[in-house]
Amino acid sequence: MKNLTLLAFFAMFLISCNETKQVAYLQEVESLPVEVLQQKTLLADPRIVPGDLLSITVGSDNPESVSIFNKTFSGSTSSVENSTPTSSNATYLVDNKGIIDFPIIGKLNVGGMTRNEAEEFIKSKIYPQYVKKEPTVTIRVENFKIAVLGEVKVPNIYNVPNERISVLEAVAMAGDLQLTGRRDNILLIRFKGDGSKEVARINLNDPNLLFSPYFYLQQNDILYVEPNKSKARAAYTVPPLLTLSLSVLSTLLSIANIMVTLTR
């Protein structure tokens, strides 16, 4: 009896250790070499896609010279008091072809460009044709958002005002994963600038996630946390016909057992 108790205790200990290993994020990250931890995780410059709302500010030492390129919310032009980027300008909706309608210049195809590429592109359209001194162009994606779905506490679409968010920060915004969520196989769906999609898998248990190209999310990224095996088993519903068949079989076995007992 004592041996059985010890065996049961040992089995429970192993199960507990296994569950902890499945739940913990970035396991054994402290064991990574210092030179590895010092490596930089590159933050990808987001590419402009259809549906983006862009705030575009043109700045200069001579604000009057670029005022015609800065729309206000009312649609009129206004002088820029300084060259510091602000989001007070009206936004430009990127249409399905990747085009925006920019003041004076007209239609500009910025779809698929990174933000820096689009800034240089717009600058080349302004200088030197319209101004004598090279201006600054600053673009912000005003509707930068990501979606977190599945086995999280607060599935939702989240706006990211600073255009910078890691997968761990996204998980935190969603209230963390449920215990029934798989941490080792999160699905990432990414919409690229040319309209195509990219699919990847993320393992939150892996410490090398810190250096993954998917550690930082991009606008319109979707994270889906799948249920683990226990949740999937709990969600399984026995079909009515199978339930009826099992009930009939159980009844027949009971009758047969009674008949065997009576004939002995």
Side-chain angles (χ1 to χ4, degrees):
M1 184 67 181
K2 183 178 180 181
N3 291 337
L4 289 176
T5 303
L6 290 174
L7 183 62
F9 177 80
F10 184 67
M12 291 177 64
F13 175 77
L14 290 178
I15 292 173
S16 176
C17 290
N18 185 55
E19 289 178 348
T20 302
K21 189 173 182 180
Q22 292 176 351
V23 170
Y25 298 154
L26 304 178
Q27 296 173 21
E28 300 180 0
V29 66
E30 66 278 1
S31 65
L32 292 176
V34 175
E35 59 271 18
V36 173
L37 290 173
Q38 290 178 341
Q39 293 179 12
K40 294 182 179 180
T41 303
L42 296 179
L43 178 60
D45 195 12
R47 291 192 177 273
I48 297 170
V49 297
D52 280 351
L53 286 174
L54 306 180
S55 171
I56 304 176
T57 302
V58 181
S60 174
D61 292 340
N62 181 9
E64 291 296 332
S65 66
V66 296
S67 63
I68 56 175
F69 300 107
N70 291 290
K71 294 195 306 181
T72 62
F73 285 106
S74 62
S76 61
T77 58
S78 174
S79 297
V80 178
E81 295 181 359
N82 53 58
S83 59
T84 303
T86 69
S87 57
S88 61
N89 286 359
T91 53
Y92 300 85
L93 176 65
V94 182
D95 68 15
N96 290 333
K97 296 181 180 179
I99 295 174
I100 61 171
D101 191 3
F102 199 69
I104 308 301
I105 300 172
K107 305 291 184 181
L108 293 176
N109 191 341
V110 295
M113 294 183 181
T114 66
R115 188 172 50 186
N116 288 339
E117 290 171 347
E119 289 171 348
E120 292 300 319
F121 175 63
I122 294 174
K123 186 189 301 183
S124 70
K125 295 294 182 179
I126 297 174
Y127 171 81
Q129 183 175 355
Y130 294 100
V131 296
K132 296 180 179 180
K133 186 175 181 180
E134 185 175 7
T136 60
V137 177
T138 304
I139 297 178
R140 288 183 56 86
V141 181
E142 294 291 337
N143 62 337
F144 192 110
K145 61 185 182 297
I146 52 103
V148 188
L149 309 173
E151 296 297 306
V152 293
K153 294 179 182 177
V154 190
N156 208 341
I157 297 174
Y158 295 95
N159 292 320
V160 184
N162 64 352
E163 305 177 41
R164 181 184 182 277
I165 184 170
S166 71
V167 62
L168 294 177
E169 290 171 322
V171 167
M173 290 179 70
D176 205 354
L177 273 64
Q178 303 278 11
L179 289 177
T180 52
R182 289 192 62 178
R183 283 139 173 83
D184 62 342
N185 200 34
I186 295 178
L187 175 64
L188 168 67
I189 303 174
R190 175 163 293 172
F191 297 86
K192 304 177 75 173
D194 58 1
S196 62
K197 290 89 175 172
E198 181 181 1
V199 176
R201 294 284 179 173
I202 296 174
N203 183 357
L204 296 182
N205 301 139
D206 186 0
N208 292 302
L209 171 64
L210 295 174
F211 315 105
S212 166
Y214 305 110
F215 181 71
Y216 285 109
L217 302 180
Q218 297 184 14
Q219 79 264 39
N220 301 317
D221 275 359
I222 298 174
L223 291 176
Y224 172 65
V225 181
E226 298 179 353
N228 57 24
K229 292 181 179 179
S230 62
K231 176 64 177 292
R233 285 195 298 267
Y236 177 73
T237 304
V238 179
L241 182 59
L242 180 58
T243 303
L244 178 61
S245 300
L246 291 174
S247 178
V248 172
L249 180 60
S250 177
T251 302
L252 291 175
L253 289 174
S254 298
I255 294 174
N257 185 50
I258 294 172
M259 292 179 66
V260 171
T261 302
L262 292 175
T263 56
R264 284 180 179 178

